[in-house]
Amino acid sequence: MPKVLRADNMNKCLGCFTCMLTCAAVNHNNHNLAKSSIKVKTRGGLQSKFAATICVACKEPACAEACPTNALVKRPGGGVKLIEEKCIACEKCVSACIVGSIHMDYDRKIPIVCKHCGACVRMCPHNCLSMEEVSE
C-alpha cells in the first residue's frame, strides 16, 4: 500500500532542520536547505511554533496537469514523480502547486518535488512527521 508524508505533530518541532538536511542529502546529494522538498519555517513572531510546507499528495495533482512535457506523473496514493529527462524547466508546476511545495533547483534546472520516501520522517528527532498508508 502506498504511503504519503504527513506533518501532523509540528507542535513538537524545535526547528532543528534535520528533516530538511536529510531530504537534501538523500534526494539531491546536497547539504543545502534550499535543495529540500520539505520547508520548515516559523509561523511568525519570536515565540511561535514551526510549520512545515510539504506536498499534500493530491489525487489529481495540478502540478502534473500544468506540465507541458509530462515530466510529472501521478504516483500511486497521490502526488507526483519527476521524470527529469522530460523536464524543460518551464516552472509551470511551481505556480500550479496548490500548497506551494514545489520550487526550482536552478543549478540542475529541475523542480524539487517530494518523493514521499520517508527519509525526513526517519531522521526527525521529535517525531513531528509521519508516513501514512493510503489507498491507491
Side-chain angles (χ1 to χ4, degrees):
M1 189 170 270
K3 294 183 177 184
V4 296
L5 177 63
R6 298 289 186 235
D8 294 333
N9 291 312
M10 289 304 291
N11 59 326
K12 297 179 182 179
C13 182
L14 301 178
C16 69
F17 304 117
T18 301
C19 58
M20 292 178 64
L21 287 169
T22 300
C23 177
V26 168
N27 294 304
H28 301 284
N29 296 318
N30 197 309
H31 288 91
N32 184 340
L33 293 177
K35 307 293 182 182
S36 172
S37 63
I38 182 172
K39 296 294 182 192
V40 174
K41 60 186 175 188
T42 180
R43 292 183 190 153
L46 296 175
Q47 297 180 350
S48 70
K49 301 284 184 178
F50 289 88
T53 302
I54 61 168
C55 172
V56 294
C58 301
K59 297 287 186 186
E60 297 298 326
C63 57
E65 291 175 20
C67 181
T69 62
N70 296 315
L72 294 175
V73 294
K74 290 183 190 180
R75 66 180 281 283
V80 294
K81 178 181 175 185
L82 174 67
I83 303 170
E84 291 184 26
E85 305 80 45
K86 290 185 172 185
C87 182
I88 58 172
C90 68
E91 298 187 48
K92 289 184 179 181
C93 57
V94 175
S95 57
C97 179
I98 62 168
V99 294
S101 69
I102 299 176
H103 52 281
M104 288 298 293
D105 179 341
Y106 291 108
D107 298 328
R108 296 178 57 208
K109 296 180 177 55
I110 59 168
I112 296 175
V113 180
C114 181
K115 298 176 182 179
H116 297 272
C117 66
C120 57
V121 174
R122 291 188 297 277
M123 295 306 292
C124 177
H126 304 288
N127 298 313
C128 303
L129 307 169
S130 63
M131 294 299 290
E132 179 181 299
E133 284 189 354
V134 294
S135 62
E136 291 185 46

